[in-house]
Structure formats: structure tokens, C-alpha cells
């Protein structure tokens, strides 16, 4: 079985179903995480993932490799996220019971951390999640793709159809807004700067 994305794409385009399955399986976790951050709902994110993988499988013959596979998949996922947010009954900040249940299942105490440290970590994570979800959509997309998913500025620009300068500008404003929002949870004064307006 080929190991690189490029080799998997070539094999899949030649009709190798296992290569296609391996390629999509390799990226599905990141696509789901992106969908959950953008849609704010586990069920919507699962639907976005399924729609993205189906669309990718269907349009793979048209993929020419001008961008990375992950950039291509994020572009597809983003279009489904936008469509779903227009029709979803859930607010972006909504956390459904499945997600809350998953959080409780993973809330096993770390024996190396005191209860106070654990509580402070949870408070900071909640503040960070809240700050990101309250950003306007354009800022949130850039921040998630660049800082959470680790795409380069060029890849983010390609995914969102922006210039690299626009990506850098939005990213700066998003980071300032998030820092200002989480400063109270860190016990430090707020950061002054050009914060992105909340959505």
C-alpha cells in the first residue's frame, strides 16, 4: 500500500479503492475537528465529515495535486460548513449532550496534577473555546486553520480564497481578540490592540 498522500491519490485515481479509503481515513479526524469547531455541534460536524468524504471520493479524478490533500479537503469541508450553518437549528456555541458526554468520559483526573490545577486547566480551556467560538466567522476560520490545524499561511489563503496578507491580518486580529478574552482566566490584565469584533 502506498504511504504518501501523493502516491495514494495516484493509486486511487487508477481505481484502487483501498488507496482511496486509506487516503480519506488518514484525514477524516482533522476534517471532523474542523467541522466541530466551525459548526459548534457534534452532529453537524459528523454530517460535514460524511459529505466531505463523499464529495472528495466523487471529485478525486479532478484533483490535480496543485494543493495539498488536506487543503483540498478543508476547502470542501468549509463549503459544507457554510451551507450547514445557514440551515442548522443550533447556535455556533451550542454543545450537545454527546459532546458533553465525551468530555465527561475524558475527564479522568491526572494524578500528577492537583485538583486546583485541574480546575484551572478546565477553566482556561473553557475560556479558550468560548473565545474562539465568539469570533466572527472569517476570523474563526483563519485561526482554526492556522493555529489549531497547523496549515501554513499560504495553505489557509488557498483554502479560504484570500490573499496571504489578508490571512495574516485576520490571524493577528483573531489572536488579539482571543488573548483579550482569556486574559481574565489567566489572571492577567487584558491585552490592548485591534481585536476582531465578536460574531
Amino acid at each position: 500500500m502506498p504511504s504518501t498522500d501523493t502516491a495514494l491519490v495516484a493509486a486511487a485515481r487508477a481505481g484502487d479503492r483501498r488507496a482511496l479509503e486509506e487516503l480519506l481515513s488518514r484525514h477524516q479526524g482533522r476534517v471532523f475537528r474542523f467541522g466541530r469547531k466551525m459548526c459548534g455541534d457534534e452532529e453537524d460536524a459528523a454530517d460535514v465529515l460524511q459529505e466531505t468524504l463523499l464529495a472528495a471520493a466523487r471529485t478525486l479524478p479532478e484533483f490535480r495535486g496543485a494543493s495539498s490533500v488536506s487543503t483540498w479537503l478543508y476547502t470542501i469541508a468549509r463549503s459544507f460548513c457554510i451551507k450547514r450553518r445557514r440551515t442548522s437549528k443550533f447556535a455556533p456555541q451550542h454543545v450537545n449532550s454527546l459532546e458533553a458526554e465525551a468530555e465527561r468520559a475524558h475527564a479522568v483526573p491526572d494524578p500528577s496534577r492537583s485538583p486546583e490545577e485541574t480546575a484551572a486547566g478546565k477553566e482556561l480551556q473553557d475560556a479558550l473555546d468560548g473565545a474562539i467560538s465568539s469570533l466572527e466567522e472569517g476570523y474563526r476560520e483563519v485561526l482554526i486553520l492556522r493555529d489549531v490545524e497547523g496549515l501554513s499561511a499560504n495553505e489557509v489563503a488557498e483554502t479560504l480564497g484570500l490573499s496571504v496578507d489578508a490571512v495574516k491580518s485576520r490571524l493577528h486580529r483573531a489572536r488579539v481578540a482571543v488573548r483579550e478574552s482569556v486574559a481574565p482566566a489567566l489572571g492577567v490584565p487584558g491585552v490592548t490592540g485591534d481585536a476582531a469584533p465578536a460574531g
Side-chain angles (χ1 to χ4, degrees):
M1 175 67 68
S3 58
T4 67
D5 281 356
T6 303
L8 287 170
V9 166
R13 289 176 65 186
D16 186 338
R17 272 199 80 73
R18 283 177 52 227
L20 175 62
E21 288 168 8
E22 170 65 24
L23 181 70
L24 298 180
S25 173
R26 177 177 292 184
H27 292 278
Q28 69 180 7
R30 296 175 75 186
V31 171
F32 178 75
R33 188 169 61 233
F34 173 72
R36 187 170 57 193
K37 290 277 187 189
M38 291 307 301
C39 297
D41 177 70
E42 193 103 359
E43 191 175 318
D44 282 350
D47 288 344
V48 165
L49 172 62
Q50 183 176 16
E51 289 164 344
T52 299
L53 296 182
L54 287 172
R58 190 173 60 249
T59 60
L60 184 65
E62 300 157 29
F63 178 65
R64 296 290 173 238
S67 62
S68 68
V69 171
S70 59
T71 300
W72 175 58
L73 290 173
Y74 282 130
T75 304
I76 296 171
R78 177 180 180 254
S79 68
F80 285 119
C81 282
I82 291 170
K83 195 181 304 181
R84 189 152 293 274
R85 275 201 308 273
R86 287 185 187 135
T87 60
S88 176
K89 61 182 183 282
F90 297 107
Q93 294 85 1
H94 177 80
V95 179
N96 70 14
S97 58
L98 280 175
E99 191 168 1
E101 197 64 44
E103 283 182 13
R104 282 195 294 274
H106 289 99
V108 178
D110 180 350
S112 67
R113 301 177 75 194
S114 69
E116 292 79 15
E117 289 173 325
T118 301
K122 175 78 166 72
E123 183 182 340
L124 180 58
Q125 186 61 54
D126 289 347
L128 187 58
D129 289 344
I132 292 172
S133 68
S134 69
L135 290 171
E136 283 183 4
E137 181 180 313
Y139 295 102
R140 191 167 67 243
E141 287 177 332
V142 168
L143 186 76
I144 290 169
L145 289 171
R146 185 74 180 92
D147 289 351
V148 179
E149 298 303 329
L151 271 65
S152 68
N154 286 338
E155 289 173 324
V156 175
E158 188 176 343
T159 299
L160 302 181
L162 299 170
S163 69
V164 173
D165 284 343
V167 165
K168 290 178 179 177
S169 174
R170 288 187 188 189
L171 181 62
H172 170 72
R173 295 188 69 194
R175 285 173 173 168
V176 169
V178 168
R179 278 199 304 269
E180 287 183 339
S181 183
V182 299
L186 294 171
V188 296
V191 181
T192 56
D194 298 322

